[in-house]
Amino acid sequence: MMKSILKVVMVAVLTVVVAWAGNVWAAGQITVGVAVSQTGRYAEPAGRFVNSWKMYVDQQNAKGGWIGKKINLTILDDKSDKQQSIKLFEKLITHDKVNFTMGPYSSGITDAVANIIERYKYPTMAPGASSGVIWQKGRKYLFNIIAVAQDYQKGALHIAKDIGVKRIAVVGEDSLFPRQTAEGVRAWAKKLGLKIVLEESYPRKQQDFTALLTKIKSRRAEALISNSYFADATAQIRGLRELNINLKMFAGTVGPALPKFAKSLGNTAEYVLGFSQWEPKPDILKRAGMKAYIAEYVKRYGVKPNYHAGQSYASFQVLGAAIAAAGSIDRAKVWKTMRSFSTNTVIGPWKVDGNNLNSHEGLTFQILKGQRKIVWPAKLAEAKYTLPMPNWKSR
């Protein structure tokens, strides 16, 4: 009996000591929490987010952290699912009581968790969201960093006009980001005098595009503007080749920007246009800190960072700069700072307008000999685009 009582007392004392030690440790650190897609359909681009976040935190902690406090980063897996992400952000804020949060990957998931961020007044960067509509809802605590979806095909449409295209087909997955991209395509096509001869959305998991591509051919479209991710963009360009449908131009969004697009498609990916928020080309873009960031990323992961990695690293740079400028981890003070200050990141300058939108300009690239070459805007072009695309049988 006596032994049992002593055991209970010892456990209780140990629990108190552990809790006290935890509080002491927590007092000397800044906690940042995020739920992001480590599994599921967004795991590939979101994995590059995670790489940059871990690297940034290690680098910053080696310098003493933020305002003398070490950064403790908690990363949870939202499984590429909105409802799961909502639950995890609620947990991070109300149970784990993190000091700050970082946005997830994809416009749809960010839009879903933005309501929680707003409710608890957590100033949060949104590295994985480009749909402009997210910032048209009167929210105050979610901060944009990258170009909005409505401008993803802006460069491609300017190039289409340059090469004499008059009839375009616009397709995309039926989800938030592709719908927003299509909205921008309609607006830019109207400004540039391009006629949309077909516009169609398809279900998220569609893999066979034979009927859609045949319809595009029947409408005599000269260019396919595809607001797509990796799997659908890959299936469409392969389908064009298999059906021997020859267009002057194919422009994708997220799919061609992933390194595995050119690698897995080989010759079929040649001449495809894609969009990038940033490219690891410091001699062209001349952003502060780019060379050091790229060198460290290559040293750590064995590959160059793509734009997903760059924009996620930049998001931590902004948050860190805001905390430094505020001189505090008080969220109200940091939020107020973020609304008004300006800073520089590896992907470019950052300063938001009254709707928390940053005026970041994206890039259009073309895959040439397996490499992405910036071809638009002209002031940053490293190569002249090679268009119209040659016929499949002549490649």
Side-chain angles (χ1 to χ4, degrees):
M1 181 66 179
M2 195 59 161
K3 284 184 178 178
S4 298
I5 293 172
L6 281 172
K7 185 183 284 186
V8 170
V9 170
M10 287 177 69
V11 168
V13 169
L14 186 60
T15 301
V16 171
V17 169
V18 168
W20 175 81
N23 289 336
V24 169
W25 165 243
Q29 65 181 347
I30 300 175
T31 53
V32 182
V34 62
V36 73
S37 308
Q38 296 181 72
T39 57
R41 67 192 302 257
Y42 301 134
E44 210 277 358
R48 296 171 193 274
F49 277 29
V50 173
N51 286 348
S52 273
W53 289 339
K54 288 180 175 177
M55 192 178 102
Y56 175 88
V57 169
D58 287 346
Q59 287 177 320
Q60 200 63 31
N61 279 342
K63 299 175 188 173
W66 286 335
I67 56 172
K69 295 175 183 288
K70 292 292 181 70
I71 308 163
N72 184 4
L73 176 63
T74 298
I75 302 175
L76 305 177
D77 182 11
D78 69 17
K79 301 178 181 178
S80 304
D81 180 81
K82 286 182 189 177
Q83 295 308 315
Q84 180 71 3
S85 189
I86 290 170
K87 289 178 187 174
L88 294 178
F89 268 89
E90 186 94 33
K91 175 184 178 296
L92 286 165
I93 293 172
T94 62
H95 181 271
D96 300 345
K97 300 187 185 304
V98 295
N99 297 116
F100 295 96
T101 49
M102 181 61 65
Y105 180 81
S106 99
S107 290
I109 295 178
T110 303
D111 192 39
V113 302
N115 294 331
I116 295 172
I117 290 164
E118 194 74 12
R119 185 190 313 154
Y120 294 104
K121 299 183 177 179
Y122 267 65
T124 301
M125 295 295 296
S130 60
S131 296
V133 70
I134 295 172
W135 285 274
Q136 295 170 3
K137 299 180 178 180
R139 292 164 174 153
K140 297 179 179 176
Y141 291 88
L142 187 70
F143 290 86
N144 158 265
I145 186 167
I146 53 178
V148 294
Q150 285 85 344
D151 284 341
Y152 267 51
Q153 299 283 17
K154 176 181 172 182
L157 294 175
H158 277 80
I159 292 171
K161 182 177 174 62
D162 286 351
I163 64 171
V165 166
K166 297 187 186 313
R167 300 168 65 84
I168 64 172
V170 185
V171 302
E173 181 188 279
D174 189 12
S175 60
L176 180 60
F177 166 72
R179 286 197 297 268
Q180 291 275 284
T181 311
E183 179 184 303
V185 172
R186 288 193 293 274
W188 282 108
K190 186 176 181 181
K191 289 178 186 174
L192 296 169
L194 303 173
K195 183 178 182 180
I196 298 175
V197 295
L198 179 142
E199 182 174 354
E200 197 162 311
S201 297
Y202 47 81
R204 174 170 292 183
K205 294 184 178 178
Q206 182 166 326
Q207 295 181 339
D208 185 352
F209 292 93
T210 302
L212 180 56
L213 297 177
T214 302
K215 192 187 293 185
I216 289 169
K217 181 181 179 182
S218 70
R219 300 286 177 87
R220 295 183 292 113
E222 299 167 280
L224 175 52
I225 309 299
S226 174
N227 304 313
S228 47
Y229 291 95
F230 176 78
D232 43 352
T234 302
Q236 289 161 17
I237 192 70
R238 280 185 172 140
L240 287 172
R241 182 162 202 161
E242 289 165 6
L243 297 169
N244 192 32
I245 297 174
N246 293 290
L247 301 173
K248 291 181 178 177
M249 197 179 92
F250 178 96
T253 47
V254 176
L258 295 174
K260 65 180 180 179
F261 185 88
K263 191 174 180 181
S264 63
L265 284 169
N267 179 266
T268 304
E270 287 292 302
Y271 310 105
V272 166
L273 295 177
F275 175 83
S276 178
Q277 297 282 356
W278 172 85
E279 288 291 295
K281 300 184 177 183
D283 293 338
I284 296 171
L285 300 183
K286 304 183 189 304
R287 304 303 188 192
M290 272 186 73
K291 285 185 178 178
Y293 163 65
I294 294 165
E296 183 62 24
Y297 193 98
V298 171
K299 180 181 175 183
R300 185 161 172 154
Y301 299 112
V303 295
K304 284 187 177 181
N306 77 335
Y307 79 72
H308 295 100
Q311 68 202 40
S312 56
Y313 188 88
S315 293
F316 254 95
Q317 286 185 301
V318 173
L319 179 59
I323 290 170
S328 169
I329 60 170
D330 179 276
R331 282 189 294 278
K333 291 180 179 176
V334 174
W335 170 78
K336 190 175 180 181
T337 300
M338 292 173 75
R339 296 273 282 184
S340 58
F341 93 139
S342 61
T343 188
N344 286 305
T345 76
V346 294
I347 69 166
W350 187 87
K351 181 174 176 59
V352 296
D353 64 14
N355 293 318
N356 285 358
L357 282 165
N358 181 38
S359 59
H360 180 72
E361 184 173 39
L363 310 163
T364 298
F365 65 82
Q366 185 174 31
I367 297 173
L368 296 168
K369 296 181 180 178
Q371 302 296 314
R372 290 207 301 263
K373 298 290 184 182
I374 300 170
V375 294
W376 196 92
K379 64 185 178 184
L380 296 174
E382 62 179 316
K384 177 70 175 176
Y385 53 76
T386 303
L387 291 168
M389 296 196 299
N391 290 344
W392 294 113
K393 290 184 177 177
S394 65
R395 293 196 188 187

